[in-house]
């Protein structure tokens, strides 16, 4: 009887673990081929727009509420990689509840089927690949999203700093070019004035010589 009780407790523990695992969100990475979406890596407004499009297309394809789909991050790849977190749905379809894992597996199938509803969406039509990373705890997902957002903000700040340095460098170079052009213009003006004075002096000399010759002939 003691052995049977231990086996029963073990079975209950396994069932609880399976239930907990099925309740965990699952992460999926989508790859978008559209080159235009690379703007989402640099601009926060573009990133929010693309995230909304992906969230809408994925939720519609899986027939779940948009709250079950969260865009965690964007990253560079062959196109643009998008990390998604899929949370299990409750009573969203006739077949009942679906776990995060079930949603992730279904999303992978729809991503591979170019005729699926997923590929009819504004962003969905540009999906070229999908990869499932597995279950992720809510705390880990939030930490991941926070760290990625911080990295993206740091990248944005670095890009802005680089742009400011580039602008200053371009302004300095433009100023130097303007000063060099002004110096050349002043030099050209001085050379022109000198040439004009030389020509005037030569003309005056020729005129003086002509008068002297004329005077000598008249004597």
């Amino acid at each position: 009887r003691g052995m049977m009780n231990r086996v029963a407790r073990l079975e209950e523990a396994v069932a609880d673990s399976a239930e907990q695992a099925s309740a965990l969100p699952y992460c999926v990475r989508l790859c978008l081929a559209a080159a235009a979406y690379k703007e989402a890596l640099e601009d926060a407004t573009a990133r929010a727009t693309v995230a909304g499009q992906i969230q809408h297309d994925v939720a519609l394809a899986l027939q779940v509420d948009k709250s079950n789909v969260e865009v965690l991050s964007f990253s560079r790849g062959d196109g643009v990689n998008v990390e998604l977190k899929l949370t299990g749905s409750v009573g969203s379809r006739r077949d009942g509840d679906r776990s995060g894992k079930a949603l992730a597996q279904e999303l992978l199938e729809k991503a591979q089927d170019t005729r699926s509803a997923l590929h009819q969406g504004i962003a969905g039509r540009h999906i070229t690949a999908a990869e499932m990373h597995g279950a992720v705890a809510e705390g880990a997902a939030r930490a991941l999203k926070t760290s990625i957002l911080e990295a993206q903000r740091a990248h944005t700040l670095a890009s802005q700093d680089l742009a400011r340095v580039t602008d200053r460098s371009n302004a300095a170079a433009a100023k130097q070019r303007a000063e060099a052009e002004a110096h050349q213009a002043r030099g050209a003006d001085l050379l022109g004035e000198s040439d004009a004075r030389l020509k005037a002096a030569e003309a005056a000399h020729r005129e003086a010589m002509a008068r002297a010759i004329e005077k000598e002939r008249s004597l």
Side-chain angles (χ1 to χ4, degrees), residues 6 10 21 27 37 44 59 62 65 79 91 102-103 108-109 113 130-131 143 153 165 183 185 188:
R6 285 197 294 274
L10 180 60
C27 280
Y37 285 152
L62 296 177
D65 190 81
L103 292 177
L108 260 63
E109 293 173 359
D113 182 5
E131 178 183 357
R153 281 195 292 270
V165 170
H183 179 72

Side-chain angles (χ1 to χ4, degrees), residues 106-138:
E106 185 175 346
L107 180 58
L108 260 63
E109 293 173 359
K110 292 183 180 298
Q112 294 171 354
D113 182 5
T114 56
R115 297 172 299 179
S116 69
L118 178 64
H119 286 278
Q120 310 308 312
I122 295 176
R125 70 186 65 178
H126 298 294
I127 294 174
T128 59
E131 178 183 357
M132 183 168 65
H133 294 315
V136 58
E138 287 288 345

Side-chain angles (χ1 to χ4, degrees), residues 9-44:
R9 286 196 296 272
L10 180 60
E11 289 177 345
E12 289 178 1
V14 170
D16 290 342
S17 297
E19 183 177 355
Q20 291 173 3
S22 65
L24 287 175
Y26 262 67
C27 280
V28 174
R29 175 184 294 169
L30 300 178
C31 180
L32 302 178
Y37 285 152
K38 289 190 176 181
E39 295 178 359
L41 298 171
E42 309 295 342
D43 182 74

Side-chain angles (χ1 to χ4, degrees), residues 18 24 40 55 57 89 102 116 133 140 145 160 172 196 209:
L24 287 175
Q55 184 184 42
D57 292 351
S89 63
S116 69
H133 294 315
K145 184 173 184 179
Q160 292 172 347
M209 289 295 295

Side-chain angles (χ1 to χ4, degrees), residues 41 73 79 85 95 119-120 140 147 163 167 171 175 185 193 214:
L41 298 171
S73 68
K85 184 185 75 174
D95 54 359
H119 286 278
Q120 310 308 312
S147 64
D167 289 342
K175 182 179 179 180
E193 291 174 1
E214 184 65 26

